[in-house]
Amino acid sequence: MRRPIVAGNWKMNLDLAAGRDLIASIRAEYATAEPVEVVVCPPTPYLFPAAKALDGCEIRLGAQDIYYTKSGAYTGEVSAEMIAETGADFVILGHSERRHTIGHLEDDRMINLKAHAARRAGLTPILCVGETLAERDAEKTLEVLTFQLTAGIVGLDVSGAKDLVIAYEPVWAIGTGRNATPAQAQEAHAHLRAELRRLIGAAADNVRILYGGSVKPDNAGELFAQADVDGGLIGGASLKADTFVPIIRAAVAAAV
Ligand code: 13P
């Protein structure tokens, strides 16, 4: 059985004091040994203080991006090895904001190089895939997912749960308040699982596939109840314990 993950992607939000307060509040509510793995992904400068704030508890730390070489003349970039030294276990890769919004406009080749770099440093990649509204309207959703998944994991050795996590994040649902319906999420996740089986065989059953895009306390339960939805990657609602903790509880309820 797959252990669900609820991961908070803080994006470029909160300041140091607010981040510490948030971690303290989540810690106070989240008992250890629950059936769900909780991850927080603060901005890069807060990784070390966040690791300190998480010391001694089971909540895990993730970064929001890496560069793919170990070191060198890449001003402003941060390597997977540097991120691993902060105590992070996960790294989000290929987030739609990096694919579509931020100046770099990352492509699948770059994302694949980063996935290899993450694994080289012992980090678990959370590979984000998802279609735009135009692609959904053109009925290209499954095709886009197949391409992004296949290209993203080329050459990656995947057997256990720590080797890879996928996040299905439909671009039209991110930060819009418009979540995929549970049926739309399940269709996409089942497709990703089937494609994973084609690519990596039985290990596909070990890979957690998270849903992301306007997950809130009131829709988390029905999304997490879907057979191939193994938790969520949460943006806006991960910034307050009042909304993040109920989402963790919804995942716990769906898991037991
Ligand atoms: P929202 O939950 O704010 O829609 O963001 C989702 C997301 O992008 C998580 O990575």
Side-chain angles (χ1 to χ4, degrees):
M1 177 165 151
R2 294 180 292 272
R3 188 179 182 208
I5 296 177
V6 174
N9 175 8
W10 295 4
K11 307 190 181 184
M12 202 173 74
N13 289 303
L14 304 179
D15 59 19
L16 183 54
R20 281 193 175 120
D21 284 352
L22 176 56
I23 286 174
S25 305
I26 302 168
R27 271 192 84 144
E29 292 285 334
Y30 177 75
T32 56
E34 289 195 69
V36 170
E37 194 161 20
V38 175
V39 183
V40 291
C41 304
T44 311
Y46 303 155
L47 286 169
F48 272 114
K52 202 168 165 201
L54 290 171
D55 194 31
C57 80
E58 286 188 12
I59 299 168
R60 298 276 163 251
L61 191 60
Q64 298 178 16
D65 192 32
I66 48 170
Y67 197 58
Y68 65 88
T69 52
K70 266 190 191 162
S71 61
Y74 302 101
T75 302
E77 297 292 349
V78 178
S79 73
E81 284 74 10
M82 293 168 181
I83 293 294
E85 280 195 300
T86 67
D89 292 314
F90 293 87
V91 60
I92 298 169
L93 295 179
H95 191 277
S96 84
E97 285 142 21
R98 301 203 64 83
R99 289 180 189 263
H100 301 294
T101 317
I102 302 166
H104 311 68
L105 299 185
E106 283 183 22
D107 62 15
D108 294 277
R109 164 93 180 124
M110 169 68 80
I111 294 162
N112 177 249
L113 289 169
K114 291 182 174 188
H116 281 273
R119 292 290 305 283
R120 182 185 71 213
L123 301 172
T124 302
I126 303 177
L127 172 67
C128 300
V129 296
E131 81 286 2
T132 62
L133 188 56
E135 288 163 342
R136 175 160 283 267
D137 288 345
E139 296 184 1
K140 291 216 156 76
T141 297
L142 302 184
E143 195 182 310
V144 168
L145 296 183
T146 294
F147 182 81
Q148 291 180 347
L149 176 70
T150 309
I153 68 168
V154 168
L156 217 60
D157 180 17
V158 181
S159 51
K162 288 192 171 167
D163 296 335
L164 179 69
V165 172
I166 303 290
Y168 169 57
E169 297 210 320
V171 179
W172 48 271
I174 296 176
T176 59
R178 183 182 159 195
N179 62 286
T181 65
Q184 285 172 327
Q186 172 56 23
E187 184 196 19
H189 284 230
H191 176 76
L192 287 164
R193 182 92 56 208
E195 291 297 86
L196 273 173
R197 263 191 210 109
R198 181 175 63 77
L199 294 163
I200 59 170
D205 290 325
N206 299 329
V207 176
R208 274 83 55 93
I209 307 179
L210 316 183
Y211 169 78
S214 297
V215 178
K216 309 282 178 222
D218 61 357
N219 61 21
E222 52 179 9
L223 287 162
F224 297 162
Q226 304 304 306
D228 288 289
V229 178
D230 307 311
L233 182 55
I234 322 299
S238 74
L239 299 175
K240 287 193 174 137
D242 285 1
T243 44
F244 193 54
V245 170
I247 293 172
I248 299 171
R249 296 280 168 239
V252 171
V256 292

